[in-house]
Amino acid sequence: MIFPSKRLRSRIKTKAFPCLRCGAKTLTFLFWATLYIVVMKMTLLKSSGNQTPRDWSIPDNYTKWLVNEQYTRVWCHYTCCLSVDVSMLKHNTQLQGPVLGDDNESDATDNDWLEPDNATVIELEKRVVRAQEVCRQRSLQTQDINSKEFFVDHAHNIVWCNIFKAASSSWLYNFNILAGYDKKFLARTRHTPLTLARKKFPRPSEEELRDTITTPGVISLLVVREPFVRLLSAYRDKLENITPPYYRKLARKIVAEHREAATKVLGPIKSFGPTFREFVAYLIARHSSDPAPFDEHWAPYHKFCTPCAVNFTVIAKVETLSRDSSFVVQRLGLGHVLRRVRGRRTRLRTVMNKSRDGRDTAALRSHYFGQLDAHMLGELLEIYGIDFDMFGYDADIYRRYVRK
């Protein structure tokens, strides 16, 4: 059937043109959708791909957690919540810096595990002797053992008590490597390092722990850190700014109980989270009234890892973590397992040691402990004084920071 030309043009106009317009709109939508997906893959989703760990001690997920979360919380807190000016933001960002993070490894190197020198061996022996002497002086030899925080690796003859905020990231990573996890897997997994480690090293019983640490050739390791630096790090991480739900609830409780008294001393307080003074007041009140253990992030070392009951063979310190860890690795012959990646430093380690002369840490101490008075400092030392004494740290430096 032959249509007249006018009728044909009329049908094309009524039928074809709407189809062409619909097709054009569809192509436009597909173009922008494809462009959006490409941009997302190049930016936000890029980190989910396979990545090689940047360093021997801390995988990428640790780096992203500490660096990104610290500064995200600072930015949100000071720009959205308090609405202060830019100069104030810069000042407080410096105070919120990462020198009080988890693994402040001040003397770390990128070399292979080095054979410890005699000075290191002597220093480690002195630390063990000092801890035992303080246990006797404080009559803590009958202390009950707290086995639930220990990791026992029978295959590699090492026992470690995990103290949060004291090289826990580094040694959790080491234990995950000893457990057989691949480094690439650790770099991209969404599971927490603690969860992965506990799958391979479940909590030991007291009997298992005692039998293992008394076995010849087994090294029992404790890593400590200057007690008040760790305490301040835990406060800033868990309570000062945006916090997980559990600590958000605790923060509200602390503010409700201690905000009125703190305001009389510090003046008007704008922060939603507790000030450091309020946090210390909470610890002091809790210590005197509640016999239950402290939170794991600020529990005293001598109660959390019970060194008077375990008698650790190696007491390492965050301040000398590299050489202390080298001693353990060399003594157990684990260098081939925990091999380092040469010539590369993680962003985390670089940021954490932005100032190696201690000035950043001193500024933080002055800022936060300046909220306390001498009486509060004395009561705080009633809680943590044994840790200072047992592990050879100086608590007197904090007396210069408190309010006169």
Side-chain angles (χ1 to χ4, degrees), residues 164-367:
F164 293 93
K165 297 298 178 184
S168 58
S169 293
S170 292
W171 273 98
L172 274 174
Y173 183 64
N174 288 343
F175 266 77
N176 280 327
I177 293 296
L178 294 176
Y181 291 114
D182 182 71
K183 292 184 178 182
K184 292 182 179 180
F185 167 77
L186 293 176
R188 66 175 180 264
T189 181
R190 297 301 179 185
H191 295 288
T192 65
L194 181 59
T195 300
L196 293 173
R198 278 299 177 206
K199 288 181 178 180
K200 302 292 186 177
F201 307 107
R203 299 179 187 275
S205 64
E206 287 190 26
E207 182 179 3
E208 178 188 359
L209 181 59
R210 291 185 186 278
D211 288 343
T212 305
I213 61 178
T214 55
T215 301
V218 172
I219 285 184
S220 51
L221 171 67
L222 175 66
V223 184
V224 297
R225 183 183 189 184
E226 206 266 44
F228 282 171
V229 172
R230 170 179 174 258
L231 179 68
L232 185 53
S233 175
Y235 156 75
R236 293 169 65 232
D237 181 37
K238 300 300 180 184
L239 294 172
E240 185 176 37
N241 298 312
I242 301 172
T243 59
Y246 170 79
Y247 293 100
R248 194 178 305 130
K249 181 179 179 181
L250 177 60
R252 287 196 296 265
K253 179 179 184 294
I254 294 173
V255 169
E257 294 177 354
H258 302 283
R259 177 57 53 92
E260 183 178 355
T263 302
K264 294 179 181 179
V265 177
L266 303 178
I269 300 172
K270 298 180 180 179
S271 65
F272 294 101
T275 62
F276 187 64
R277 182 185 179 92
E278 292 167 324
F279 173 59
V280 171
Y282 158 77
L283 292 177
I284 293 171
R286 168 75 189 278
H287 176 68
S288 61
S289 62
D290 190 349
F294 274 9
D295 182 276
E296 59 195 8
H297 290 87
W298 48 78
Y301 302 142
H302 69 279
K303 292 184 177 180
F304 192 68
C305 285
T306 54
C308 296
V310 173
N311 190 20
F312 290 93
T313 54
V314 175
I315 298 176
K317 292 185 176 182
V318 169
E319 295 82 4
T320 55
L321 184 60
S322 182
R323 62 184 178 89
D324 297 347
S325 297
S326 292
F327 173 84
V328 175
V329 172
Q330 289 289 347
R331 180 63 62 89
L332 295 176
L334 300 178
H336 66 289
V337 182
L338 303 175
R339 55 184 178 275
R340 303 187 181 193
V341 179
R342 288 179 176 270
R344 305 179 76 177
R345 290 180 181 270
T346 61
R347 181 185 176 195
L348 172 62
R349 181 175 295 166
T350 302
V351 174
M352 299 266 311
N353 295 288
K354 191 160 52 173
S355 176
R356 293 179 181 270
D357 58 5
R359 287 180 296 179
D360 287 345
T361 302
L364 287 160
R365 286 170 174 161
S366 176
H367 174 73

